[in-house]
Amino acid sequence: MDNLDRFSINNIRKEFMDFFKSKEHLTEQSFSLIPKNDKSLLLIGAGMAPMKRYFTGAEIPPSNRMATCQKCVRTGDIDNVGITARHLTFFEMLGNFSFGDYFKDEAISWAWEFLTKTLKIEEDKLWVTVYEEDTDAEKIWHEKVGVPLERIVRLGKDDNFWELEVGPSGPCSEIYYDTGEGKGCGLPDCKPGCDCNRYIEIWNLVFTQFDKDEKGVYHPLPNPNIDTGMGLERVATVLQGKPSVFDVEPLLSIIKKIEEITNLSYGKDKNKDTAMKIICDHSRAATFMIGDGVIPSNEGRGYVLRRLIRRAIRKGKFLGIHREFLTETVQVVINEWEKAYPELSEKESYILKVINLEEEKFKITIDQGLELLQKEIQKIKEADKHVLDGSIAFKLYDTYGFPYELTEEILNENDFELDKEEFLAIMEEHRKMAREARNKTGSSGWKNKDFNIDAAKTIFTGYTEVSDEAEVLKIIVNGVENNTIEEGQSGFIILNKTPFYAESGGQVGDTGKLAADEFEADVISTNKYNKDIYIHEAKIMKGSISVGDNIIASIDVDKRKNIAKNHTSTHLLHKVLKQILGEHVNQAGSYVSEERLRFDYTHFETIDEATIKEIERRVNKAIFADYKVFTDLLDIEDAKKSGATALFDEKYDGVVRVVSIDTFSKELCGGTHINETGKIGLFKIISEGSIASGVRRIEAITGKAALNYLNYLNDLVDGLSETMKTTREELLSKVNNLKKELKDKDKEIHKLNNEILKNNINEILDDYEEINGLKLFAIKTKDKDANSLREMADKIKDKNENCIIILASDLGNKVLFVSSVTKDLVKKGIHAGNIIKTAATVAGGGGGGRPDFAQAGGKNPEKINEAFEVVKNQIKEIN
């Protein structure tokens, strides 16, 4: 096996997993990119991140020794992707982990064995670093492994102490590969830690000893753990001697596909190479994110995905690609990685569909958005300004779908800046307005299309028919009326009649198929134009069709049934809300799809859990009653007289459709419904909360979705019961007992701390400095919380008058201050809040408080002594 094969991504991954399997590790498939039960993370960005609860002891791992190749996404360095040799948004992280089993000795020895014996890397090519205070690791490297001391480098906390914002942390030891003198700075003392590119980190061994909480406090773990991480693409690049990760297969295969699409050659132009690399990286990241269940949106991880996709599209435009192309690069990703990650092939059609729809959606507006931005850049250039107004960035975001980061990136490329503060302020205001008006616009989005339609009114037959023969009245492709639409094209088709329900009233539009002899098209959405012209957004899969042709229009029946179940459920829910909360409840918006329903309603008080359960119970009671559902067409006044509920801000025509659920509910509604409530099966509320002043929202699921959700909850209870080693029936009791035990232990710890303080109080009471006749207690402690400092201050005040107390607790990466002043000094105008503010400011923080007591924090524990000195000088001036 030559070096290229031995150091290939696929071989390194396999060799790593096989090696640690031989060391009795449980080797697992990668966890999902979507964190499970961890709100502190948006996406998984490290090999150990999915196993945080194993490290903290919150969950029992399936084995005390594990090894994984973990999918990771990080966007913090997105601006460097394609520019540097090794930055990626998506990467694979090799890691071996010990949960209270082995520690530094084995971790170091096995890492060296894997690199030098399995991968056969020359020993003199490897250097190591250790945390400057970690003499144990240095000893193991030198005395057991045999690394010469001159190739072991001690570095500080910034380099060799690993931590997340919250969770496991500890000192680490990194292994570096020496790429040779020719890649270095030429200085005689060049070694790892130098800013040159000679030494490349390939493996990080973290000796996890602490659990860092949200306040930044490090809590010792009961058993030390091992967490290692080796970037697969990076190590392959270094060992193959390639200039960047994009020159290593199979990433290079994606680059080759981009060359094929653009008819350009990689390696000829720096700027074009950067664009190719960004498309390569973002295609891979998007593929894996969608495969794990992320969908493009304007919030959270969905926004990350949308940003990556749209950034790749923009780079495609830069390379001269003026058609949809991402499905082609994504297909390469699926083909190249499906063996290691079979979920990609299993979800291939879904991944490609999501990519295609997002690309089609953005394609419609990207050119207009880019043109607008270039005009605005020209304007600020001519005005000799350097900052683009946030309002322009918001227009690009809102109208043209540009993530503001994309606008900012284009501005930076032209040496301009964005007024981000103004943009974010406008965004927040827009969100407030959107929450108040959401789902009240019906089909208004179609009023702003770039084309005008002059066509006869569409006859809707979907209340009674699921398939119907119809005539093609108009075809629109790329905003222009055409006589014919061909295979492979997408466009809008208008029929003289249709069974497809058009999106309106909160109900999504139908999807399905249009067909004729030698012709087939997929309808991906149905919308209305000017209220009564139905527009079928279609992709032509086979053949062609022309104006005047007859076709068969058939909806997706299963999807329609699920939508109908959810829509009928909103009517039941509306009635139940009025029954329980009062007649003031009115619908303020809704969304009905095949997967779920969302119902916004007017109500000005919080709904407690018992009421939510009662709402759910009554809706299900109506479902189980198997009420008949029927419709009538009535004059609007007659409909109102019959007791039908109408939306107070909705405009209705003279004749309206009334949907009645037996005698239980009667509403004006143009949506589709089931004919018997029993067919809904089951109704389950999954969330309830406030979305705006006086407006609340319920989200719920029905039918199969509800059953699947209950099965998930059932599995969750079984898993918890197994973890807690108890029965389902005894689970709650066991959890409550555990909570009580923890509370009792907290009390015991508190009691012991008080005993320690009591035993040390005499020593503390002697630790003061007299300044102009008053006592100053300036005492530095380690790892004490606010309650402990308060109690210490109280003990001192109990034994002293005429004293000022300033206490500091060094918490590792920050400091906590407490100040207290006796009553006699408070009367003289000495203020604890002013004292604490002075101390905290010196330590890089801030705060304040009452005259007799105050608390504050700082970022720099090393400045505690300096803070004390400044406080002393302040007191001298006061007194």
Side-chain angles (χ1 to χ4, degrees):
M1 184 185 292
D2 62 25
N3 269 357
L4 192 60
D5 289 333
R6 181 153 50 91
F7 293 148
S8 72
I9 281 179
N10 288 332
N11 189 64
I12 294 172
R13 185 194 298 116
K14 180 180 183 303
E15 293 280 11
F16 182 89
M17 301 298 273
D18 288 347
F19 176 83
F20 281 100
K21 191 178 290 184
S22 74
K23 303 298 183 185
E24 300 178 340
H25 285 62
L26 173 65
T27 55
E28 289 276 47
Q29 288 289 326
S30 172
F31 292 88
S32 170
L33 284 166
I34 300 176
K36 183 179 180 182
N37 300 325
D38 188 348
K39 293 182 180 180
S40 69
L41 297 175
L42 195 64
L43 291 159
I44 294 299
M48 60 71 61
M51 294 182 276
K52 276 164 58 175
R53 293 175 68 81
Y54 297 160
F55 281 103
T56 61
E59 290 183 14
I60 299 173
S63 170
N64 288 334
R65 297 182 180 186
M66 292 179 67
T68 63
C69 182
Q70 176 62 42
K71 299 174 285 191
C72 298
V73 169
R74 294 181 189 172
T75 58
D77 291 316
I78 192 172
D79 292 334
N80 290 319
V81 172
I83 296 174
T84 68
R86 286 171 288 278
H87 276 105
L88 294 164
T89 51
F90 174 89
F91 59 94
E92 297 178 67
M93 180 73 82
L94 299 168
N96 59 289
F97 311 94
S98 165
F99 308 109
D101 186 18
Y102 61 84
F103 200 44
K104 296 180 184 180
D105 203 326
E106 294 87 347
I108 291 171
S109 301
W110 288 339
W112 189 258
E113 180 184 349
F114 176 72
L115 293 175
T116 61
K117 303 300 181 186
T118 303
L119 295 184
K120 297 182 171 36
I121 300 173
E122 298 171 29
E123 292 187 8
D124 60 3
K125 290 280 189 183
L126 300 175
W127 287 61
V128 296
T129 64
V130 296
Y131 181 45
E132 58 191 357
E133 298 176 10
D134 194 351
T135 55
D136 291 339
E138 184 183 69
K139 271 187 178 182
I140 297 168
W141 278 117
H142 178 57
E143 296 177 7
K144 182 168 183 177
V145 176
V147 178
L149 284 174
E150 59 268 23
R151 292 216 309 274
I152 302 174
V153 181
R154 286 176 177 249
L155 295 175
K157 190 171 184 180
D158 288 346
D159 296 293
N160 278 71
F161 195 93
W162 191 92
E163 57 187 340
L164 293 169
E165 288 186 14
V166 175
S169 59
C172 63
S173 179
E174 297 174 329
I175 305 173
Y176 284 77
Y177 183 85
D178 183 359
T179 61
E181 291 184 14
K183 299 287 181 68
C185 57
L187 296 174
D189 62 343
C190 180
K191 57 188 175 182
C194 180
D195 290 334
C196 74
N197 291 320
R198 176 175 174 178
Y199 299 96
I200 306 297
E201 178 213 331
I202 59 174
W203 204 343
N204 188 8
L205 314 179
V206 180
F207 312 126
T208 313
Q209 299 168 221
F210 308 106
D211 180 26
K212 180 183 175 186
D213 66 22
E214 293 176 353
K215 296 180 180 179
V217 179
Y218 295 87
H219 302 279
L221 290 167
N223 296 301
N225 304 311
I226 290 295
D227 156 30
T228 84
M230 177 161 56
L232 179 55
E233 298 86 354
R234 175 183 289 203
V235 73
T237 303
V238 170
L239 300 182
Q240 289 182 32
K242 298 292 184 180
S244 82
V245 289
F246 300 99
D247 295 281
V248 172
E249 288 289 6
L251 280 87
L252 191 58
S253 291
I254 309 173
I255 298 287
K256 289 175 181 175
K257 173 55 71 172
I258 300 168
E259 285 183 308
E260 178 187 317
I261 294 168
T262 60
N263 202 28
L264 297 171
S265 296
Y266 177 62
K268 301 292 185 182
D269 180 282
K270 183 180 178 181
N271 290 332
K272 290 178 180 176
D273 285 355
T274 297
M276 287 186 180
K277 291 173 183 177
I278 289 171
I279 294 170
C280 171
D281 170 81
H282 292 7
S283 295
R284 190 166 70 131
T287 303
F288 277 90
M289 289 174 74
I290 297 167
D292 277 355
V294 182
I295 59 173
S297 71
N298 286 333
E299 299 288 341
R301 59 182 71 96
Y303 181 74
V304 174
L305 174 59
R306 174 161 284 168
R307 181 186 174 195
L308 293 173
I309 293 172
R310 295 190 170 184
R311 193 168 187 253
I313 294 169
R314 213 269 292 185
K315 295 300 178 182
K317 298 286 289 184
F318 172 77
L319 295 175
I321 308 174
H322 298 288
R323 62 175 179 82
E324 296 155 14
F325 70 94
L326 278 183
T327 51
E328 297 175 53
T329 55
V330 165
Q331 186 67 65
V332 175
V333 177
I334 294 171
N335 294 344
E336 294 291 342
W337 273 270
E338 64 181 347
K339 187 174 180 181
Y341 299 97
E343 65 268 22
L344 296 181
S345 57
E346 293 168 5
K347 300 176 182 176
E348 178 177 344
S349 61
Y350 171 75
I351 293 170
L352 294 173
K353 182 177 181 181
V354 171
I355 289 287
N356 180 249
L357 289 174
E358 184 68 10
E359 191 168 16
E360 283 183 342
K361 189 174 182 179
F362 193 41
K363 181 187 174 186
I364 296 171
T365 56
I366 183 172
D367 288 333
Q368 295 168 294
L370 287 172
E371 184 180 349
L372 171 65
L373 182 54
Q374 289 305 322
K375 285 180 180 178
E376 294 297 332
I377 288 174
Q378 187 60 35
K379 285 181 185 178
I380 59 176
K381 190 182 294 184
E382 290 171 356
D384 198 26
K385 295 180 179 179
H386 299 282
V387 180
L388 180 74
D389 291 346
S391 59
I392 303 298
F394 181 76
K395 182 177 180 181
L396 286 164
Y397 168 83
D398 190 44
T399 306
Y400 300 102
F402 276 51
Y404 84 84
E405 296 93 343
L406 185 56
T407 300
E408 194 171 33
E409 181 179 310
I410 297 170
L411 287 169
N412 291 339
E413 290 171 359
N414 290 274
D415 297 322
F416 294 103
E417 296 178 8
L418 168 66
D419 188 340
K420 192 186 297 185
E421 189 173 325
E422 182 187 17
F423 168 82
L424 294 174
I426 295 171
M427 171 70 85
E428 181 56 32
E429 183 61 29
H430 172 79
R431 283 174 175 161
K432 287 180 182 177
M433 290 188 295
R435 283 194 290 266
E436 294 169 2
R438 188 170 288 145
N439 298 311
K440 294 182 182 179
T441 57
S443 59
S444 62
W446 283 84
K447 295 176 184 175
N448 299 319
K449 286 293 176 187
D450 294 331
F451 47 80
N452 292 314
I453 300 172
D454 180 17
K457 179 179 177 180
T458 306
I459 299 170
F460 176 61
T461 63
Y463 290 135
T464 56
E465 307 295 331
V466 295
S467 181
D468 210 347
E469 184 176 352
E471 179 186 351
V472 178
L473 297 183
K474 284 189 182 294
I475 295 171
I476 297 165
V477 180
N478 295 326
V480 178
E481 283 194 26
N482 280 22
N483 188 59
T484 301
I485 187 167
E486 306 280 353
E487 182 174 333
Q489 288 186 310
S490 294
F492 304 108
I493 297 174
I494 300 167
L495 307 173
N496 68 328
K497 60 179 178 177
T498 181
F500 283 77
Y501 181 87
E503 180 176 343
S504 61
Q507 179 176 324
V508 299
D510 280 328
T511 59
K513 292 189 179 295
L514 304 179
D517 291 340
E518 304 301 319
F519 170 78
E520 187 176 304
D522 288 340
V523 176
I524 58 177
S525 72
T526 311
N527 289 270
K528 285 182 184 178
Y529 181 87
N530 286 347
K531 292 184 71 175
D532 50 21
I533 298 173
Y534 284 51
I535 299 176
H536 307 80
E537 185 176 5
K539 184 169 185 178
I540 312 308
M541 310 304 294
K542 175 185 173 184
S544 64
I545 198 76
S546 300
V547 172
D549 287 350
N550 289 328
I551 55 97
I552 299 296
S554 305
I555 67 168
D556 182 332
V557 176
D558 286 337
K559 181 177 178 180
R560 164 73 78 81
K561 285 179 180 177
N562 288 328
I563 294 170
K565 289 175 184 178
N566 283 331
H567 201 152
T568 303
S569 295
T570 64
H571 286 221
L572 296 174
L573 176 60
H574 194 182
K575 182 64 176 180
V576 167
L577 288 171
K578 283 180 173 290
Q579 288 177 342
I580 295 176
L581 303 179
E583 286 298 321
H584 67 277
V585 169
N586 282 301
Q587 182 176 330
S590 69
Y591 175 81
V592 178
S593 70
E594 64 175 323
E595 297 90 6
R596 63 190 176 93
L597 66 92
R598 185 179 72 214
F599 191 83
D600 300 341
Y601 62 102
T602 54
H603 188 62
F604 296 88
E605 294 178 324
T606 302
I607 310 300
D608 60 33
E609 190 62 32
T611 303
I612 293 171
K613 288 181 179 178
E614 179 60 14
I615 292 167
E616 185 180 271
R617 187 191 71 80
R618 289 206 199 179
V619 173
N620 279 308
K621 182 180 179 182
I623 290 170
F624 300 152
D626 200 18
Y627 292 133
K628 299 291 183 186
V629 181
F630 52 93
T631 60
D632 293 296
L633 292 176
L634 299 174
D635 177 89
I636 180 64
E637 293 305 320
D638 291 336
K640 289 180 178 178
K641 287 176 184 176
S642 74
T645 300
L647 299 184
F648 69 92
D649 58 351
E650 187 75 284
K651 293 182 179 179
Y652 295 96
D653 295 327
V655 177
V656 293
R657 186 167 179 263
V658 179
V659 176
S660 300
I661 304 175
D662 203 287
T663 58
F664 185 80
S665 164
K666 185 180 287 188
E667 291 192 30
L668 306 188
C669 180
T672 60
H673 293 266
I674 53 168
N675 55 16
E676 295 169 337
T677 60
K679 292 179 179 178
I680 296 171
L682 184 66
F683 173 88
K684 182 66 184 173
I685 294 175
I686 55 175
S687 70
E688 193 283 338
S690 173
I691 60 167
S693 178
V695 181
R696 303 188 67 80
R697 169 173 294 168
I698 286 177
E699 293 189 79
I701 48 180
T702 65
K704 277 187 181 178
L707 179 61
N708 292 337
Y709 181 71
L710 293 177
N711 285 336
Y712 161 77
L713 294 179
N714 188 63
D715 292 343
L716 183 63
V717 171
D718 284 343
L720 288 171
S721 300
E722 184 177 347
T723 299
M724 299 296 291
K725 294 183 171 52
T726 188
T727 64
R728 293 164 62 103
E729 293 74 20
E730 296 294 325
L731 179 60
L732 183 60
S733 174
K734 182 132 187 185
V735 170
N736 286 332
N737 288 337
L738 182 60
K739 283 175 65 179
K740 184 178 183 302
E741 287 176 21
L742 290 173
K743 190 174 181 180
D744 291 340
K745 286 179 180 178
D746 285 340
K747 287 180 180 177
E748 186 64 22
I749 291 169
H750 185 71
K751 182 179 177 183
L752 289 171
N753 283 333
N754 280 334
E755 288 296 321
I756 292 170
L757 178 59
K758 185 177 179 181
N759 292 334
N760 295 336
I761 191 64
N762 290 333
E763 183 180 338
I764 292 171
L765 292 173
D766 292 332
D767 189 9
Y768 67 86
E769 181 178 345
E770 190 165 326
I771 301 176
N772 297 332
L774 60 80
K775 295 178 181 178
L776 171 65
F777 291 85
I779 300 171
K780 179 179 178 181
T781 66
K782 184 111 176 132
D783 295 331
K784 289 195 178 298
D785 61 17
N787 286 335
S788 297
L789 294 183
R790 179 191 284 270
E791 288 175 5
M792 188 183 297
D794 288 344
K795 293 282 186 185
I796 296 171
K797 285 171 72 174
D798 286 344
K799 301 289 184 179
N800 287 275
E801 292 183 353
N802 201 37
C803 75
I804 298 171
I805 303 160
I806 176 78
L807 308 177
S809 178
D810 183 343
L811 300 176
N813 66 340
K814 64 180 182 179
V815 58
L816 178 65
F817 288 103
V818 161
S819 177
S820 190
V821 176
T822 52
K823 291 180 180 179
D824 53 334
L825 293 182
V826 170
K827 291 176 181 178
K828 293 181 179 180
I830 298 177
H831 197 292
N834 295 336
I835 293 169
I836 206 78
K837 186 176 181 181
T838 299
T841 301
V842 173
R850 304 191 310 268
D852 63 328
F853 182 83
Q855 179 180 317
K859 299 176 183 176
N860 305 309
E862 66 275 10
K863 294 201 172 184
I864 290 174
N865 291 334
E866 183 181 337
F868 284 172
E869 287 300 318
V870 174
V871 167
K872 287 178 189 177
N873 292 332
Q874 180 185 16
I875 292 170
K876 288 175 183 177
E877 292 175 5
I878 293 172
N879 209 37

